[in-house]
């Protein structure tokens, strides 16, 4: 019994060795670049004490250049605002998608959009749906999107849902740096 077991074990070792040698070997270790995470919060004017002036915090910020970035926007925007195509589409992200409360989508119905985070120069657009109204504490909408940043430069971002003041909704926060428009700088310094 002992010798039979010995032979069986030996055959098994040979078989394992053969199957391992046949496995394709990577030519070199792939370079894994770390993914950078950035977090933004979109507050209502009510929350900041400036009714009618929703605000992205921070609105002016720096992201690493030529990098994969995961942007998380936690939004308390509770009213939909007038916006037109193509700003209902997710654009410029990995797979053309964003996560809305964990669910992958490639667009948001126009009537549900409260804000957008859009950088026209990069063809980047993240539609942000309005918070659902229900009893109890406000549950923010969380939008997560991954995209690759340019090698350098400073770009203006703009919200394209008319969430500001005035008849058109395009005054106040919509045209004031630090609220619904701002500057994103791409730099590794
Ligand atoms: Cu807005």
């Amino acid at each position: 019994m002992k010798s039979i077991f010995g032979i069986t074990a030996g055959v098994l070792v040979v078989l394992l060795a053969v199957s391992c040698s046949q496995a394709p070997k990577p030519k070199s270790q792939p370079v894994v670049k770390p993914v950078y995470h950035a977090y933004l919060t979109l507050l209502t004017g009510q929350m900041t004490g400036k009714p009618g002036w929703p605000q992205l915090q921070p609105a002016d910020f720096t992201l690493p250049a030529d990098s994969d970035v995961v942007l998380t926007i936690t939004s308390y925007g509770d009213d939909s605002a007038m916006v037109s195509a193509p700003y209902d589409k997710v654009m410029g992200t990995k797979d053309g998608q964003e996560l809305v409360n964990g669910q992958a989508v490639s667009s948001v119905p126009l009537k549900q959009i409260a804000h957008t985070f859009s950088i026209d120069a990069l063809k980047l657009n993240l539609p942000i749906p309005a918070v659902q109204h229900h009893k109890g504490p406000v549950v923010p909408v969380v939008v997560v999107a991954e995209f690759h940043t340019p090698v350098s430069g400073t770009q203006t971002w703009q919200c394209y849902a008319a969430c500001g003041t005035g008849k058109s909704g395009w005054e106040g926060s919509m045209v004031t740096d630090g609220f619904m428009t701002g500057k994103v700088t791409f730099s590794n310094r």
Side-chain angles (χ1 to χ4, degrees):
M1 280 301 278
K2 222 175 193 179
S3 65
I4 292 168
F5 183 75
I7 289 162
T8 311
V11 169
L12 203 71
V13 167
V14 170
L15 280 173
L16 274 174
V18 168
S19 65
C20 284
S21 69
Q22 281 172 343
K25 280 176 191 156
K27 278 174 188 147
S28 60
Q29 281 300 100
V31 179
V32 180
K33 254 186 146 185
V35 175
Y36 181 88
H37 288 262
Y39 299 88
L40 307 170
T41 308
L42 215 162
L43 300 173
T44 65
Q46 217 73 35
M47 294 168 87
T48 63
K50 208 170 165 146
W53 285 65
Q55 183 176 41
L56 186 68
Q57 290 185 352
D60 299 290
F61 55 97
T62 299
L63 292 176
D66 194 18
S67 300
D68 291 326
V69 168
V70 175
L71 198 62
T72 298
I73 303 175
T74 301
S75 173
Y76 291 85
D78 53 2
D79 276 320
S80 58
M82 192 67 172
V83 57
S84 38
Y87 294 102
D88 54 334
K89 303 271 184 299
V90 180
M91 291 184 270
T93 67
K94 196 179 173 186
D95 302 326
Q97 293 189 320
E98 67 181 17
L99 296 179
V100 175
N101 293 337
Q103 201 188 342
V105 301
S106 53
S107 68
V108 172
L110 283 168
K111 283 183 176 162
Q112 292 177 16
I113 296 173
H115 303 285
T116 73
F117 179 86
S118 317
I119 304 178
D120 284 338
L122 305 183
K123 293 190 165 58
L124 179 79
N125 184 59
L126 310 178
I128 302 167
V131 162
Q132 301 279 326
H133 291 273
H134 54 68
K135 281 180 186 170
V138 175
V139 180
V141 169
V142 179
V143 171
V144 180
E146 182 171 347
F147 60 99
H148 196 84
T149 58
V151 291
S152 65
T154 296
Q155 301 294 351
T156 299
W157 73 267
Q158 173 73 51
C159 169
Y160 279 96
C163 62
T165 53
K167 239 185 180 173
S168 66
W170 264 89
E171 293 169 38
S173 62
M174 289 293 275
V175 289
T176 306
D177 187 289
F179 286 86
M180 281 290 109
T181 180
K183 302 255 185 290
V184 188
T185 299
F186 303 99
S187 169
N188 286 321
R189 281 194 275 174

